[in-house]
């Protein structure tokens, strides 16, 4: 699904690979539960969550992996060790096996990460 033309997150999830859909839905649920004051929408062909108009986190089902984009979060020191064990680049975490997604880590990053905007 690399870049979707879906107009809504619901449509994006409906179009997703059925094997990945439950994982994408869980990412959505964790983001929605742990990012106060967010707005959900589609940008860059993927679900994006903003606070005060600034993108904070996004996710996508890529060809070879599920990706999370931490566009507005700085990883706090308490999470650095766990974060360093992930397959990641600058602002992107890749999960080749969605069952390895650490939802507790994601929730903590959303709750405790330094945001580029004031919530």
């Amino acid at each position: 699904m690399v870049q979707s033309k879906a107009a809504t997150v619901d449509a994006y999830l409906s179009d997703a690979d059925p094997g990945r859909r439950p994982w994408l839905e869980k990412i959505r649920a964790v983001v929605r539960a742990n990012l106060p004051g967010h707005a959900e929408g589609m940008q860059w062909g993927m679900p994006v969550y903003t606070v005060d108009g600034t993108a904070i986190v996004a996710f996508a089902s890529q060809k070879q992996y599920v990706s999370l984009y931490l566009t507005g979060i700085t990883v706090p020191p308490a999470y650095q060790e766990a974060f360093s064990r992930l397959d990641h680049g600058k602002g992107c975490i890749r999960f080749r096996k969605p069952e390895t997604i650490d939802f507790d880590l994601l929730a903590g990053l959303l709750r405790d990460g330094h945001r580029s905007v004031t919530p």
Side-chain angles (χ1 to χ4, degrees), residues 93-114:
I93 306 169
R94 295 170 290 272
F95 296 96
R96 295 192 188 284
K97 296 179 181 178
E99 61 272 11
T100 65
I101 296 171
D102 185 340
F103 291 104
D104 292 332
L105 176 60
L106 175 58
L109 289 171
L110 293 168
R111 279 192 318 267
D112 303 332
H114 174 69

Side-chain angles (χ1 to χ4, degrees), residues 31 35-44 46-59 68-74 91 110 113-118:
V31 171
L35 187 61
H38 74 271
E40 178 182 75
M42 292 293 293
Q43 199 171 355
W44 310 299
M46 64 184 143
V48 175
Y49 297 83
T50 61
V51 175
D52 296 333
T54 299
I56 302 298
V57 65
F59 66 87
L68 290 171
Y69 299 92
L70 304 177
T71 58
I73 296 175
T74 301
L110 293 168
H114 174 69
R115 296 192 188 106
S116 59
V117 296
T118 304

Side-chain angles (χ1 to χ4, degrees), residues 3-68:
Q3 190 172 30
S4 173
K5 296 196 185 312
T8 66
V9 177
D10 286 331
Y12 180 89
L13 294 171
S14 292
D15 293 343
D17 177 285
R20 287 194 181 168
R21 189 174 305 131
W23 303 105
L24 299 171
E25 290 172 346
K26 178 117 186 210
I27 291 170
R28 180 189 198 189
V30 169
V31 171
R32 292 171 82 176
N34 291 282
L35 187 61
H38 74 271
E40 178 182 75
M42 292 293 293
Q43 199 171 355
W44 310 299
M46 64 184 143
V48 175
Y49 297 83
T50 61
V51 175
D52 296 333
T54 299
I56 302 298
V57 65
F59 66 87
S61 180
Q62 303 292 356
K63 186 175 181 180
Q64 299 294 322
Y65 50 85
V66 170
S67 58
L68 290 171

Side-chain angles (χ1 to χ4, degrees), residues 82-97:
F83 185 78
S84 70
R85 292 190 298 262
L86 300 174
D87 177 8
H88 70 282
K90 184 176 181 178
C92 175
I93 306 169
R94 295 170 290 272
F95 296 96
R96 295 192 188 284
K97 296 179 181 178

